[in-house]
Each structure stands twice: as structure tokens, then as C-alpha cells.
Amino acid sequence: MQKPSHFFNKSILKPPAWETIIGLETHVQLSTRSKIFSGSSNKAYFDTSPNTQANEVDLALPGTLPAINRVAVEHAIRFGLATGAKVAQHSVFSRKNYFYPDLPKGYQISQYENPILSGGEVTFFSGGKETSVRLIRSHLEEDAGKLLHGSYTLENGLPASGIDLNRAGTALLEIVTEPDIRTTDQAVDYSKALRSLVVWLGICDGNMQEGSLRFDVNISVRKLGEKNLNTRTEIKNLNSFRFLERSILFESQRQIELLQSGSKVVQETRLYDPDRNETRSMRDKENAQDYRYFPDPDLPTLIISPAWIENIRFSLPELPLAKRKRFEIQYQLTSYDASYLTQDHEIAVYFEKMMLVLPEEQAKLAVNWMMGELSAKLHRENKNIKNSPIPAYLLAELIKLITGGTISNKVARQVFSAMWIGEESGQPSNIIEKYGLKRTNDINALRMIIDEILIDNQSAVSQYRAGKKKAMNLLVGKVMQASKGKADPKDINTLLQEKLA
Ligand code: MN
């Protein structure tokens, strides 16, 4: 059937429609106590003074040899099992050769052929729909050091750059997707889901400010309906979801304008500049052979036995996807609610703690309070749910007082605010007692309130009697106000109907 001509359709306004093809490479910093190939500490390199967490191996002194960190391997296996990837029983470390001052060896130890993980997928909610992004591979590698430009002044007063090797040799898992992503929102949702998953698995601290996850985005554009992929560019080293979003929006628009004007997109690496909100050319894209990859003779083949994999599988927590499906069935929740609860491990834990106290049919009310009052307050005060001033069991108590009829929803919000600032040790029943907030069942008292309200609001009464049924809402509101929210709305309605009949 043809759409009517007035039908609003963006693609009619902006012909032709383009689509963006996005693939992501993510460097995830693994939570290990020591570095991936050396015994130096991996702890808080971010705020320790430069070059205090780097030993002979990290400095690439002659005669030193790397040795693989067992925990880094286990973290990679954990990620592989959680995403349905194939864990290689034999995988190989290779040297990726390039010169840069933050890389003392002149090569990075990485994996090229035979990475530890191949395939797998990350499944998440995006735009209200379950979406999966396929993974090509994930491999282990070491991080480089850091250049601190202008951090240092020479004796002659000139500014100089320093090299900090604290980060050199930190364990990374590089996760590469297929170019399955089609929109900026999907790219951001995938990245958030990936962050949440690695934190959930306990293999990364998820700290974006400190660079615990860094995203490289590959982008190309094509007209809708085209089959071939056009030339792509790569934007490197994005460490926030906002920069990821903005750089994709900018870069896809830049490419569309180039192609529309008859120019070509050049394959290159680009840098996102958040101050100007634009991407700029950094360097031509190296081809893989420029790195002269070859197996590192200092490291033996990494052999992973099936028994080792099974042990790790046994120790995995219930994964977000499984938990989401279970919540949907066990608590009769919508996928939207269940995906809200499982977007973050701490949120899921909080909910499950509430459900230790509440009957299953009150799950929906629990979710509403978590998504509403609790999340708004946490957000406003920049607090994490793990350190919520109202612990799960006390919020559950509050919900029981609502469902038990002791207080109305409206009064519950007042009690919540008092709990938040720790009045009466945050005990909802004590707060209700203290302020006399208990819902009144005293029908005679309510009749008296109603009589007064009717006397004071003669015009609303005559409007109602004249057929303006909406006048009733005003009267109910006034009575509720006069009862300080303690009256049962059902009682108010019944009594008013009686009086006005
Ligand atoms: Mn890498």
C-alpha cells in the first residue's frame, strides 16, 4: 500500500538515504595484580609517580625474558566463555614491530595468527530490541608506556616531553567486532554492554576516565541498498561514550559529504578532537605487513587444556543475558525492565537483595522504585547504587508498607526522602510513626474533612451537579491534601460520591 503524501518520512526530505557501517576494536585493560609479561605491579599506575612501576622487563633491558601472566589468560578465557567464542587450545604470541619512544623493545608483544579467542558475540538491548554483534577475534597483548608532553622543563628552561613506563606491559584484551553495527546508537549501546560485561565478569574495573576501555572505530558509509563496502577510516583511542558518539556522527557526515561532492574517502587513521568536535587525519593506515609480525621466539606456544577451560566455566557467575531471561520468567517482568536490571551487576544485585524480602508478585513495584526515585536520587547526587544511602532491604520494607496499605504511594515518596538522609536510622516504619504518616482508616474523621471541603468549594460542587464530572478531581485532590495524603483514595471517592449523589 502506498503511503499518503503527507506521511512524514525523513528519507523523503533527505534523499538519498545513507547507512553507516561500523566495526569496533576495544582495548580492555585486564584487572591483574602484575603485568602481562613481567612481575612489576599493575596497581594504580594511573596515579603513581612516573617509572616507579616498571622493572627490567618493561624497560627492555638486554637479557630479560617475558613470562606469561596466568590470570591474564584466565580473564581472556572467561570473556571467551561468556561470549560463546572458541578458546584456542594452542595460541601464539607475536611481535608487532614499530618504533615509538613509549615502546622500549621496538615491538609490542601481541597475537596475530592463532589468537586466544575467535568468534563469539555480544548480545544487548538497543532501541528496545535485542541486538547481537559478532566478534571476529579477541587477543592478548601488552600496553605501551605514555608520553607526557610538556610535562618537564630542561635546565635551559625549554619544555620537554617525558616518558612514563608505568603502563608499559599492562595486560590488554583487544576485542574486534565484525562490521555489524549500523547506527551511532548501536555503537554506543554495544560499547556500554561490553563495558558492563567485562566488569560483570570481574576482568576489568571499567574505569573509563583512567582508560580501562579504549575504543577504535572503523567507519564507512554507503547508500542504502548498496552491497559493496566503501573505503573506511579508523578513529583511534576514544575513551568515553560521548566522544565515541560524537566522533561517529561527525565522521559519517564528513564521508557522506565527500562522496556526495564526487570526492573519495582516503583510508587513514584519524584523531577525534573533543574541543573542536571534529576528526583530523593522523596518518595513512599501515598495512599489516608494515608491522612485520612474526612469532615471538621468547615465548612458547600458549597451551590451554580443556580441563582448565571447564574449571573456569564452572566458576563463571550467572551472565547478564541468562539473568535477564530468568527475571522475565520468574518475576513476570518485561524485557525492558529485565534489561534495565541486568545492564549493571550492582543493579542486579540490589534488585535480588530486595527480592529476598519481597514476594515475587511485587517485583514490578520494586523495579519501578529502582528506576524512579532511587535512580533519580543516585544520579542527582552522583552516587553509585552499591553505596546507596538506602540499602535494598530497607527499600523493600518501604514497598511492603505500600502494598500492605499502611501508606499511600505519595506518602511513601516523603518517607523515601527521610530515609535517604538517614532519619530514624533509615527505618521506614519509625519515620512513619514519627511524622504520623500512617494511612487513616478513620472514616468519621474523613467525613468531617469532606464536609469542610464541600462547604469551601461550592462552585465545584454545583459544576459537578451540573454534569461537569471533572470537578470531582479537584475535590478529591483537596480532600487528599487536607488529609495530608493519609486518606485512602478509594474511601475519598466513595464518600464524595455519596455526598454528591
Ligand atoms: Mn592493539
Side-chain angles (χ1 to χ4, degrees):
M1 200 182 83
Q2 214 170 349
K3 283 171 183 163
S5 58
H6 62 268
F7 192 87
F8 183 77
N9 185 331
K10 278 186 191 165
S11 65
I12 294 171
L13 298 177
K14 267 206 276 181
W18 293 79
E19 71 174 345
T20 311
I21 319 290
I22 303 165
L24 283 162
E25 292 170 22
T26 311
H27 286 90
V28 171
Q29 205 168 73
L30 298 174
S31 305
T32 53
R33 282 165 60 197
S34 56
K35 293 184 178 178
I36 185 168
F37 299 116
S38 89
S40 48
S41 170
N42 195 25
K43 204 179 81 201
Y45 74 84
F46 197 77
D47 23 57
T48 44
S49 35
N51 301 310
T52 54
Q53 318 260 348
N55 69 8
E56 306 85 329
V57 177
D58 308 318
L59 266 57
L61 296 188
T64 56
L65 286 172
I68 184 70
N69 181 328
R70 186 183 175 93
V71 174
V73 175
E74 290 181 345
H75 282 356
I77 296 172
R78 209 162 269 132
F79 180 77
L81 292 173
T83 51
K86 182 172 177 294
V87 181
Q89 292 193 24
H90 295 86
S91 76
V92 172
F93 288 101
S94 289
R95 293 184 179 182
K96 180 180 181 179
N97 297 279
Y98 66 95
F99 175 76
Y100 207 64
D102 62 9
L103 190 71
K105 291 195 296 295
Y107 59 84
Q108 176 194 28
I109 305 177
S110 180
Q111 296 193 297
Y112 186 56
E113 286 162 337
N114 308 319
I116 185 165
L117 304 174
S118 347
E121 58 182 19
V122 176
T123 303
F124 54 99
F125 243 65
S126 186
K129 275 207 315 254
E130 189 171 291
T131 310
S132 288
V133 169
R134 290 170 299 155
L135 303 178
I136 299 175
R137 55 181 274 151
S138 306
H139 66 254
L140 285 165
E141 63 183 28
E142 59 178 345
D143 207 345
K146 259 186 178 172
L147 292 184
L148 306 167
H149 295 295
S151 61
Y152 182 73
T153 312
L154 296 174
E155 279 172 22
N156 61 13
L158 291 174
S161 294
I163 301 175
D164 177 10
L165 293 174
N166 284 351
R167 197 179 67 182
T170 294
L172 299 175
L173 185 66
E174 180 177 332
I175 301 158
V176 184
T177 75
E178 295 279 359
D180 280 352
I181 299 167
R182 289 292 173 278
T183 67
T184 313
D185 287 346
Q186 265 176 22
V188 173
D189 290 342
Y190 161 80
S191 309
K192 288 183 174 169
L194 184 66
R195 176 184 174 277
S196 145
L197 179 62
V198 294
V199 173
W200 191 292
L201 293 169
I203 66 173
C204 174
D205 65 18
N207 194 330
M208 304 289 291
Q209 289 85 10
E210 295 184 3
S212 295
L213 284 101
R214 276 122 58 195
F215 302 98
D216 300 343
V217 198
N218 285 290
I219 304 179
S220 65
V221 297
R222 68 181 171 198
K223 285 182 192 159
L224 267 177
E226 275 181 9
K227 286 278 167 286
N228 292 338
L229 290 174
N230 288 323
T231 307
R232 61 166 200 238
T233 59
E234 182 176 22
I235 309 168
K236 281 238 182 251
N237 249 327
L238 299 156
N239 66 351
S240 88
F241 299 125
R242 177 172 302 185
F243 293 169
L244 183 73
E245 178 179 18
R246 290 193 183 162
S247 63
I248 295 173
L249 287 172
F250 176 88
E251 180 61 14
S252 52
Q253 196 54 40
R254 188 188 71 90
Q255 291 187 14
I256 290 169
E257 281 165 18
L258 273 178
L259 295 178
Q260 275 176 336
S261 68
S263 309
K264 277 190 172 149
V265 173
V266 180
Q267 186 176 346
E268 61 185 355
T269 301
R270 298 179 70 85
L271 184 85
Y272 176 68
D273 177 348
D275 296 329
R276 296 203 202 166
N277 187 30
E278 63 176 26
T279 64
R280 282 201 302 276
S281 181
M282 216 162 97
R283 54 182 148 92
D284 288 353
K285 176 79 187 165
E286 301 88 351
N287 289 318
Q289 61 262 32
D290 293 342
Y291 288 125
R292 303 176 332 276
Y293 278 101
F294 64 88
D296 191 322
D298 288 345
L299 284 156
T301 299
L302 176 62
I303 297 170
I304 298 170
S305 70
W308 192 11
I309 298 175
E310 286 320 302
N311 264 334
I312 293 172
R313 193 193 302 279
F314 189 70
S315 76
L316 282 182
E318 185 182 25
L319 296 172
L321 198 61
K323 209 182 259 297
R324 198 188 87 207
K325 302 242 148 107
R326 177 167 66 78
F327 283 177
E328 287 175 23
I329 295 165
Q330 183 176 352
Y331 300 117
Q332 301 286 303
L333 294 173
T334 61
S335 335
Y336 179 81
D337 287 348
S339 72
Y340 168 82
L341 293 172
T342 51
Q343 66 182 307
D344 179 303
H345 189 246
E346 297 303 336
I347 293 179
V349 166
Y350 192 97
F351 171 73
E352 295 205 82
K353 281 188 182 163
M354 286 181 85
M355 295 316 295
L356 291 176
V357 182
L358 294 172
E360 288 183 355
E361 61 274 15
Q362 288 174 18
K364 174 66 183 159
L365 195 56
V367 182
N368 289 349
W369 275 85
M370 286 180 68
M371 284 172 129
E373 300 291 307
L374 182 67
S375 116
K377 267 265 207 268
L378 289 170
H379 188 75
R380 212 171 304 140
E381 298 191 10
N382 204 11
K383 286 196 163 88
N384 194 296
I385 193 162
K386 196 177 178 182
N387 310 314
S388 167
I390 302 180
Y393 77 96
L394 285 179
L395 184 55
E397 286 300 326
L398 180 67
I399 286 171
K400 275 167 85 185
L401 291 164
I402 302 168
T403 51
T406 309
I407 49 171
S408 65
N409 245 309
K410 194 176 154 206
V411 168
R413 282 199 286 276
Q414 263 173 270
V415 178
F416 181 91
S417 296
M419 290 167 74
W420 185 268
I421 55 171
E423 283 196 58
E424 302 294 302
S425 313
Q427 300 288 332
S429 38
N430 295 357
I431 291 167
I432 291 165
E433 192 69 34
K434 180 180 174 189
Y435 292 101
L437 295 170
K438 216 173 197 163
R439 175 176 274 168
T440 176
N441 293 319
D442 187 342
I443 293 294
N444 286 331
L446 187 56
R447 278 185 209 283
M448 278 163 71
I449 291 174
I450 287 177
D451 286 342
E452 277 174 41
I453 295 293
L454 293 183
I455 290 165
D456 288 345
N457 294 276
Q458 289 294 339
S459 72
V461 171
S462 39
Q463 277 178 28
Y464 178 81
R465 292 205 166 114
K468 284 199 178 164
K469 299 292 171 202
K470 273 190 184 162
M472 177 66 105
N473 297 342
L474 177 110
L475 295 169
V476 173
K478 295 251 180 198
V479 176
M480 187 53 100
Q481 210 175 2
S483 79
K484 300 203 178 71
K486 292 188 290 182
D488 188 329
K490 264 185 267 153
D491 292 344
I492 300 178
N493 263 305
T494 320
L495 291 177
L496 269 174
Q497 305 269 12
E498 269 174 39
K499 292 268 178 189
L500 294 171

